[in-house]
Amino acid sequence: MHDDRKLVEARLERVLNERVRPAVHPATTPLTVEIWSTADEPVPVAEGLAAPTRPIVTGAPWGVPWGTSWFKVTGEVPGEWAGRTVEAVLDLGFTPRTPGFQCEGLVYEPDGTPVKGLHPRNNYVRVGAPAAGGEQVHWRIEAASNPDLEADGVPFQPTRLGDKATAGDAPQYVLGDMVLAVFDETVWNLVMDLEVLGELMAELPVDGARRWELLRAVGRALDAIDLRDVNGTAQAARDELAEVLAAPASPGAHRISAVGHAHIDSAWLWPLRETVRKVARTTSNMTKLLEDEPDFVFAMSQAQQFAWIKEHRPEVYARVKKAVADGRFVPVGGMWVESDTNMPGSEAMARQFVHGKRFFLEEFGIENDEAWLPDTFGFAAGLPQIIKAAGSGRLLTQKISWSKTNSFPHHTFNWEGIDGTRIFTHFPPVDSYNCEMTGAQLAHAARNFKEKGLARHSLAPVGYGDGGGGTTREMVAKAARLRSMEGAPTVQWESPADFFEKAEAEYPDPPVWVGELYLELHRATLTSQAQTKRGNRRSESLLTEAELWAATAAVRAGVRYPYEELDRIWKTVLLHQFHDILPGSSIAWVHREARETYARVARELEGIIEGAQRALAGAGTGELVFNSAPHTRRGVPAGGAAAAADEGGVVPVPRDGGGYLLDNGLLRVEIDARGLVVSAYDRAAGREAIAPGQAANLLQLHPDFPNQWDAWDVDAFYRNTGSDLTEVAALGVEGTSVRIVRTFGGSRVSQLLSVPKDAKRLDIDTEVDWHETERFLKLAFPLDVKADRYASETQYGHVYRPTHQNTSWEWAKFEACNHRFVHVDEPGWGVAIVNDATYGHDVTRAVRTGARAGTTTTVRASLLRAPRYPDPETDQGVHRFHHALVPGATVGDAVREGYRANLPERRVTGTAAGVAPLVGVDNDAVVVSAVKLADDHSGDLVVRLYEANGARARATVRVDGFAATRAVLTDLLERPLPGAERPAVADGGVALALRPFQMVTLRLPRG
């Protein structure tokens, strides 16, 4: 037979586009439209409903950037439409771009009852089925004129539209047709039939019979359509397709669990306040779709977004709560937001689950068993333990499929963290968290699934996301046709929990992946927007202090514990750890507000800390040093206060050849005439830390113009070129520090280098007035250490990464995350680099030959970038960083110095001779990460601690301030661990035996 395949496929495309789809609405009549606009912030619904309006017609411009317009839409159903299904088709001026990145609307009844959201793929509102004729239509539409930052079709171009302050007032949209229309359900179903078959047909083998069966059926259906009377012949065309649509899937077909989804970024190319409205629009649509489609199931993560609806749209929240109670609207993930997981500190990562799970428990009586992070940029190796400690045991993500170098070998597996905890993990092989239920996507999922022959189930999150929108009636219709169809995977709507139960049951012994889940993309998010990252780190540290001293003051002085304040502040900090805020990949508006929020949070936490410490110190003139760190320093106990002298530093002395020498008898540091550290000599070990012939404290500047994703990516080729900043504008002594000033481009760097009197540590305080664009600034430390691997702090421990590049997996980790320290060593001696605000870094090795033979391991901290998209002014201005070089450091020393840099001493005047710690631990390897009162207001003391060195440890935890007669091991939500033995308490001490990196939460009842 002649091969007419391409002819039929081309015919299908044209007939669908030009005849069949337009016939879905065969008759229309215009609506009357009026408008009222505000260029300021959104107004309450009641105000928008009552605002005076003026006429507006199709083709008229409207909507300043980030403005809100209220449309009044009225009309009457023509009498001749009686008995027919009628809906309004409302085009706000939508562009071909996907939902969430342009104008959006929420339709209301005149009394303010939300009806549904509007976006370019969901722009209808049903009037009646059937209509009576003469029926009056009265709606209001709250429309957001959010600018499309890629309206010209070219991505990643600098734009001033990312902040209301710079966006201007030019109208962003042109009003489209606003009409009432007859809805022909038969034609609409024909569209769905043809789309499903056309999409599936294109994915089947050309030499397979099934593809040709579909082709011939489609050809017969097209023959049955009278192009002059599509509506009258649509059913005949459908009849030609019925047989091929009904052919069941093979018993061995891949099985897809579809779950409705609308991944909504809590901020990204829109500010936080707009996300509140995005969530309301999406959930309005999804609750309506749940009413219309009995098989449909929708899942939504991020407790913060539920809380926003509860606060700002209670009438929508009531519908959500009902759908949750019915088991159709499924809260998932158990986190406050879908956060970044690389940069949040130990306690912050734990509190994401504490606050998220508690919200779902209190609001819905639901406890989630999965972490749901489809779009997060890689996963820290400490996360499995945190997920398990929160009472969950599963993880879903999709983002690892974006890796550019290596293809991850599994879709379903057990992920093992640094302490040995394993969680069941699934990466949907559909490779999208915005699945549209197309044949291409489902066929890809079945082909792509890496567990073939061992498992057959995968999950597909179905719906428009990022900017919201959710699942559409078209996606549901396609899923119904694909429930069981020959040549396609089967599709069934079900909850994530149902999917995981099936997946675990069929795959009881999956493969294991050990260590971090590194995303080979978006590495620059560890550095972009340095002030946001500093704000996060400082907030985490201040919260640690506030809880510690507030608990101490409550127990010792009867001071009220600020439960409500701490709860609110934690939620604010957790919100800003969202995976486009903390990573620095949002518009200027988001980061401007973040800086303001962090400053406000700091003021409030400083007040809580000061109030608690003053209550403990009394009202005298003596001076106490409060030590918030989990290690004793200079005689001040961890978590306590005592009198202590100033640490002080050694006075620099001139060095032969220029520069200065800093020597405290433990460490001798030489700074040359260029302001570079050419020697850091550990006197006790007789070891030089700096590689021979090289210099540390070396600022290096690279070009930074990635191929795409400017704020997100740094590409490996950035290392091919660069310059060392060795020219010095000023070099001199300032007190006990050496001051170094450099200028380059339009920027200025000022540094203070000092060595304390009694510590083996070089402190480096750097201030950068940064005015570069598309440049990457690094701070380098070439070390005379032969290290095949190095340690980076992560949540509740550290992770090892290779320094070599033997494989493509190792090569791809050319930029990685650390928290407070990086540690390199060879047997018996090591060096730590600690920081107070940076995360991104790289570690490389080189071999020296000749008289200076050996291995140089270079650690570089990433300080600043200057991408121009989506914030064209990224990081412009003044930044401050603290780093310390610690020669001779063990991992334990690195842990201690990391806490010291982030939890500085506080000096408070008072009468008390000292403040004994509430909690003490007799083993420095066991680190206390939180001391607080229980969240249930019981007054019980909660202590969280972990083994920090990566070895087994025994420790006794002692409590001073009340009689500790019993202790309970709990999960992160402070509930007793099922089946856990109660730890022994003797003489006020709790005896613990910890495995490497094990984290433990103790609850100590009072009274």
Side-chain angles (χ1 to χ4, degrees):
M1 186 173 183
H2 297 299
D3 185 351
D4 61 350
R5 176 175 55 85
K6 293 184 179 179
L7 185 68
V8 176
E9 291 171 352
R11 180 188 182 194
L12 171 62
E13 182 178 3
R14 184 175 187 192
V15 171
L16 254 178
N17 287 336
E18 297 185 23
R19 293 294 185 270
V20 183
R21 288 193 181 102
V24 170
H25 296 112
T28 63
T29 187
L31 289 160
T32 300
V33 186
E34 298 180 356
I35 188 174
W36 173 78
S37 300
T38 172
D40 204 357
E41 288 301 280
V43 300
V45 172
E47 184 177 341
L49 294 173
T53 55
R54 60 173 177 80
I56 184 172
V57 297
T58 297
W62 72 276
V64 301
W66 306 111
T68 298
S69 294
W70 283 82
F71 290 96
K72 180 180 178 181
V73 179
T74 58
E76 180 178 314
V77 177
E80 60 268 26
W81 290 2
R84 306 180 73 177
T85 300
V86 176
E87 59 187 25
V89 180
L90 306 171
D91 182 358
L92 296 175
F94 299 125
T95 71
R97 284 265 280 166
T98 57
F101 298 90
Q102 54 178 290
C103 57
E104 303 173 58
L106 182 58
V107 180
Y108 294 88
E109 297 285 1
D111 64 0
T113 302
V115 178
K116 69 185 294 289
L118 296 177
H119 63 69
R121 306 290 191 274
N122 196 339
N123 65 342
Y124 69 91
V125 180
R126 184 61 58 85
V127 175
E135 186 174 348
Q136 298 295 311
V137 171
H138 297 277
W139 287 316
R140 303 293 188 273
I141 305 170
E142 181 188 18
S145 50
N146 302 331
D148 183 350
L149 272 62
E150 296 179 7
D152 58 2
V154 181
F156 316 121
Q157 295 301 300
T159 174
R160 296 288 175 179
L161 290 172
D163 196 330
K164 188 170 64 173
T166 60
D169 58 5
Q172 297 294 294
Y173 297 99
V174 173
L175 189 66
D177 291 331
M178 309 282 270
V179 299
L180 288 177
V182 171
F183 176 73
D184 190 325
E185 189 167 2
T186 301
V187 175
W188 182 82
N189 275 304
L190 177 60
V191 172
M192 295 299 98
D193 294 344
L194 290 172
E195 285 188 0
V196 165
L197 293 173
E199 291 165 358
L200 176 61
M201 187 167 60
E203 298 300 321
L204 294 174
V206 175
D207 58 358
R210 178 62 171 167
R211 178 160 184 163
W212 291 92
E213 290 172 4
L214 301 187
L215 185 80
R216 296 304 166 214
V218 168
R220 291 192 299 271
L222 295 177
D223 289 342
I225 298 173
D226 182 345
L227 299 183
R228 296 165 300 177
D229 184 15
V230 173
N231 300 89
T233 56
Q235 186 57 54
R238 292 201 71 204
D239 292 342
E240 296 293 341
L241 302 174
E243 184 176 350
V244 291
L245 285 166
S250 68
H254 184 69
R255 298 174 181 176
I256 292 179
S257 297
V259 59
H261 189 238
H263 170 68
I264 303 177
D265 286 315
S266 289
W268 179 28
L269 303 182
W270 44 86
L272 286 167
R273 66 90 153 145
E274 193 55 34
T275 312
V276 176
R277 301 200 295 178
K278 285 177 176 286
V279 174
R281 297 175 198 125
T282 298
T283 53
S284 294
N285 275 352
M286 295 304 96
T287 52
K288 183 66 173 70
L289 194 60
L290 287 167
E291 294 172 1
D292 296 340
E293 301 291 346
D295 293 332
F296 178 54
V297 176
F298 180 77
M300 190 171 94
S301 68
Q302 306 191 71
Q304 171 68 87
Q305 296 189 358
F306 286 85
W308 277 333
I309 320 173
K310 181 181 179 181
E311 178 183 357
H312 297 282
R313 291 290 192 271
E315 63 282 10
V316 177
Y317 190 64
R319 287 158 53 179
V320 169
K321 288 201 75 169
K322 180 183 182 303
V324 171
D326 292 341
R328 307 275 309 287
F329 194 118
V330 184
V332 293
M335 297 175 67
W336 191 248
V337 294
E338 289 183 12
S339 73
D340 181 81
T341 74
N342 285 311
M343 290 176 282
S346 303
E347 279 303 306
M349 200 72 255
R351 305 302 174 91
Q352 286 285 354
F353 288 91
V354 169
H355 287 283
K357 295 197 78 168
R358 184 171 289 137
F359 182 92
F360 289 155
L361 279 165
E362 292 175 352
E363 290 292 316
F364 309 120
I366 288 175
E367 178 155 12
N368 305 91
D369 196 35
E370 73 289 315
W372 184 272
L373 293 164
D375 191 29
T376 294
F377 310 154
F379 301 90
L383 189 58
Q385 178 175 209
I386 296 171
I387 294 173
K388 189 62 68 72
S392 299
R394 297 159 173 169
L395 168 68
L396 180 136
T397 184
Q398 179 274 318
K399 199 69 170 191
I400 298 298
S401 70
W402 287 38
S403 286
K404 291 298 186 184
T405 305
N406 299 283
S407 176
F408 195 80
H410 313 297
H411 281 111
T412 302
F413 60 100
N414 277 331
W415 178 29
E416 182 177 317
I418 56 174
D419 72 315
T421 296
R422 292 180 177 180
I423 58 171
F424 189 80
T425 302
H426 181 66
F427 295 171
V430 72
D431 283 348
S432 174
Y433 51 81
N434 298 324
C435 175
E436 297 177 38
M437 200 53 69
T438 67
Q441 289 173 320
L442 300 190
H444 173 77
R447 285 194 305 265
N448 189 38
F449 189 54
K450 292 184 170 68
E451 324 306 322
K452 296 183 189 75
L454 296 169
R456 284 193 298 171
H457 282 84
S458 72
L459 185 142
V462 180
Y464 293 110
D466 289 322
T471 318
T472 64
R473 63 183 178 183
E474 289 78 13
M475 296 173 191
V476 175
K478 290 185 176 184
R481 287 158 174 79
L482 293 164
R483 186 176 184 90
S484 178
M485 183 190 296
E486 183 183 350
T490 66
V491 175
Q492 181 176 353
W493 294 107
E494 53 190 353
S495 70
D498 289 339
F499 159 74
F500 274 112
E501 287 178 11
K502 292 178 179 178
E504 286 184 286
E506 76 170 0
Y507 207 18
D509 190 24
V512 177
W513 181 270
V514 179
E516 66 184 328
L517 294 168
Y518 179 92
L519 177 63
E520 297 169 354
L521 194 73
H522 293 0
R523 303 168 181 89
T525 58
L526 302 172
T527 305
S528 298
Q529 298 286 359
Q531 290 184 352
T532 298
K533 290 169 171 58
R534 171 168 286 281
N536 173 73
R537 181 77 69 84
R538 186 183 182 206
S539 297
E540 290 181 350
S541 298
L542 289 171
L543 278 161
T544 296
E545 292 188 80
E547 288 184 337
L548 168 66
W549 299 120
T552 305
V555 173
R556 295 203 178 282
V559 174
R560 183 188 75 85
Y561 189 78
Y563 292 103
E564 293 79 11
E565 295 92 327
L566 290 171
D567 179 83
R568 172 175 44 77
I569 295 169
W570 263 118
K571 289 173 179 174
T572 298
V573 174
L574 298 177
L575 167 59
H576 286 78
Q577 292 178 340
F578 178 75
H579 65 253
D580 275 308
I581 302 179
L582 178 54
S585 47
S586 287
I587 55 174
W589 189 344
V590 173
H591 291 290
R592 171 175 55 79
E593 286 191 333
R595 293 190 292 271
E596 295 165 358
T597 298
Y598 284 131
R600 185 173 64 252
V601 162
R603 289 192 296 271
E604 189 168 1
L605 289 172
E606 291 281 7
I608 292 172
I609 294 165
E610 181 182 6
Q613 289 182 340
R614 289 202 173 280
L616 292 165
T621 58
E623 187 176 69
L624 286 178
V625 172
F626 281 77
N627 175 18
S628 303
H631 308 92
T632 298
R633 54 189 182 192
R634 298 193 306 113
V636 182
D646 286 335
E647 184 175 34
V650 297
V651 176
V653 298
R655 170 182 174 271
D656 292 341
Y660 296 92
L661 180 68
L662 296 163
D663 191 342
N664 65 1
L666 301 172
L667 178 67
R668 186 190 69 209
V669 173
E670 293 186 47
I671 302 167
D672 72 5
R674 301 170 298 171
L676 301 178
V677 176
V678 293
S679 175
Y681 186 76
D682 177 355
R683 288 188 174 277
R687 281 285 303 261
E688 174 60 61
I690 309 303
Q694 300 192 49
N697 188 42
L698 175 63
L699 290 163
Q700 296 180 309
L701 191 65
H702 295 276
D704 185 19
F705 190 65
N707 289 343
Q708 57 181 355
W709 295 106
D710 294 39
W712 295 258
D713 280 358
V714 56
D715 288 328
F717 53 73
Y718 89 90
R719 298 176 295 183
N720 297 344
T721 55
S723 57
D724 295 343
L725 303 180
T726 58
E727 296 295 322
V728 62
L731 177 66
V733 175
E734 188 172 306
T736 58
S737 300
V738 175
R739 167 78 71 181
I740 304 149
V741 177
R742 306 183 195 280
T743 59
F744 58 94
S747 303
R748 180 180 186 273
V749 177
S750 177
Q751 292 183 300
L752 287 174
L753 275 60
S754 59
V755 172
K757 290 179 179 178
D758 55 0
K760 198 160 45 176
R761 181 181 77 242
L762 171 65
D763 288 319
I764 302 170
D765 291 289
T766 303
E767 180 180 282
V768 185
D769 189 2
W770 181 249
H771 296 284
E772 308 305 305
T773 58
E774 296 170 351
R775 294 289 185 270
F776 197 4
L777 184 64
K778 292 264 189 174
L779 181 63
F781 299 87
L783 305 173
D784 190 12
V785 178
K786 182 184 183 300
D788 294 330
R789 66 177 190 173
Y790 72 96
S792 290
E793 188 184 36
T794 189
Q795 292 98 359
Y796 300 115
H798 53 267
V799 62
Y800 286 104
R801 299 188 184 97
T803 60
H804 56 76
Q805 297 178 354
N806 285 356
T807 70
S808 59
W809 294 88
E810 292 150 357
W811 175 85
K813 294 183 180 180
F814 57 81
E815 186 79 5
C817 183
N818 72 288
H819 287 185
R820 287 167 288 220
F821 71 81
V822 168
H823 181 260
V824 298
D825 70 350
E826 55 191 48
W829 196 81
V831 181
I833 308 294
V834 303
N835 73 83
D836 74 338
T838 57
Y839 297 92
H841 70 279
D842 68 89
V843 179
T844 55
R845 65 199 302 271
V847 173
R848 309 184 302 271
T849 59
R852 293 174 170 178
T855 300
T856 299
T857 301
T858 300
V859 178
R860 299 198 304 167
S862 303
L863 301 188
L864 291 164
R865 300 183 67 234
R868 301 178 65 206
Y869 181 87
D871 176 3
E873 300 295 327
T874 301
D875 282 331
Q876 301 301 296
V878 176
H879 304 269
R880 294 177 178 84
F881 307 95
H882 173 80
H883 292 84
L885 172 70
V886 191
T890 64
V891 165
D893 295 329
V895 173
R896 181 182 301 104
E897 290 296 334
Y899 275 103
R900 178 204 59 77
N902 285 268
L903 294 170
E905 298 172 347
R906 292 178 181 269
R907 293 180 175 271
V908 179
T909 57
T911 56
V915 178
L918 274 186
V919 177
V921 182
D922 64 357
N923 184 343
D924 270 358
V926 178
V927 172
V928 174
S929 65
V931 176
K932 59 189 289 292
L933 295 192
D935 290 342
D936 62 6
H937 294 219
S938 64
D940 291 353
L941 186 67
V942 172
V943 180
R944 190 145 38 246
L945 42 82
Y946 68 101
E947 195 288 315
N949 291 354
R952 293 184 181 272
R954 291 186 177 275
T956 299
V957 181
R958 298 198 175 276
V959 180
D960 183 346
F962 63 93
T965 58
R966 63 189 179 95
V968 180
L969 292 172
T970 75
D971 64 9
L972 291 178
L973 276 72
E974 300 166 7
R975 304 172 298 189
L977 285 175
E981 292 186 11
R982 182 168 292 176
V985 179
D987 301 324
V990 182
L992 297 175
L994 304 180
R995 66 179 181 271
F997 298 131
Q998 183 181 1
M999 177 263 288
V1000 167
T1001 304
L1002 287 174
R1003 183 168 182 148
L1004 302 158
R1006 293 168 55 204

